[in-house]
Amino acid sequence: MILSRPKRKTIFSLSVSTIVCGLGSIYFMRQVLAEPQGTWRYIVLGILLLCTSILIYKLLFNYKVLKISHDQINIYYPFRLFRSTQPISNLGAWQETVINTNKTVFKELKLVFVDKGYVKISNHENSDYDKVYKYIKKKAPKKEVKD
């Protein structure tokens, strides 16, 4: 059984960034309420609130767990309360995107299912990326989409 979930350091960094943006939002909200002069405070407050909401969305609603075993792909989003089980035969296509940066290689695997959407995982954010890639490459080699 292959279990792929977000790495702890990804969750930690998103949590710290969300807390910092949230505290900055609270600070600027207090500043705006105490002394409403200065348009720049409203702009900074808006930017911080937008960043905080995007980070909370990324942290909570994009948290996914992939379990692959016995030719079944189980996708579970705990905060969305969504669970899906798809057989490998129901896989419509899959594609790996590789981007070379200065020091590292970023890889993203996109699995598209025939009837119920798609799921993406990356090597920097998810654990066991290589195992998932090897399993999909072994079980569904004809469904790979080339660039």
Side-chain angles (χ1 to χ4, degrees), residues 4-19:
S4 178
R5 61 176 47 169
K7 293 180 180 177
R8 289 179 187 227
K9 62 183 178 180
T10 302
I11 299 297
F12 176 75
S13 63
L14 280 174
S15 300
V16 168
S17 301
T18 304
I19 290 170

Side-chain angles (χ1 to χ4, degrees), residues 81-129:
L81 302 175
F82 176 75
R83 185 181 303 262
S84 174
T85 302
Q86 303 283 335
I88 290 287
S89 60
N90 204 14
L91 186 66
W94 63 274
Q95 180 180 21
E96 183 186 38
T97 306
V98 178
I99 299 171
N100 293 319
T101 60
N102 271 344
K103 298 177 183 177
T104 60
V105 176
F106 178 79
K107 296 178 184 177
E108 181 179 70
L109 183 65
K110 182 176 183 179
L111 306 173
V112 180
F113 298 101
V114 174
D115 58 350
K116 292 191 179 181
Y118 66 94
V119 66
K120 291 182 185 179
I121 63 170
S122 67
N123 65 335
H124 287 294
E125 293 180 2
N126 296 83
S127 62
D128 291 337
Y129 173 85

Side-chain angles (χ1 to χ4, degrees), residues 39-51:
T39 308
W40 68 274
R41 290 181 181 158
Y42 289 101
I43 294 171
V44 171
L45 177 64
I47 291 171
L48 283 173
L49 285 173
L50 180 67
C51 289

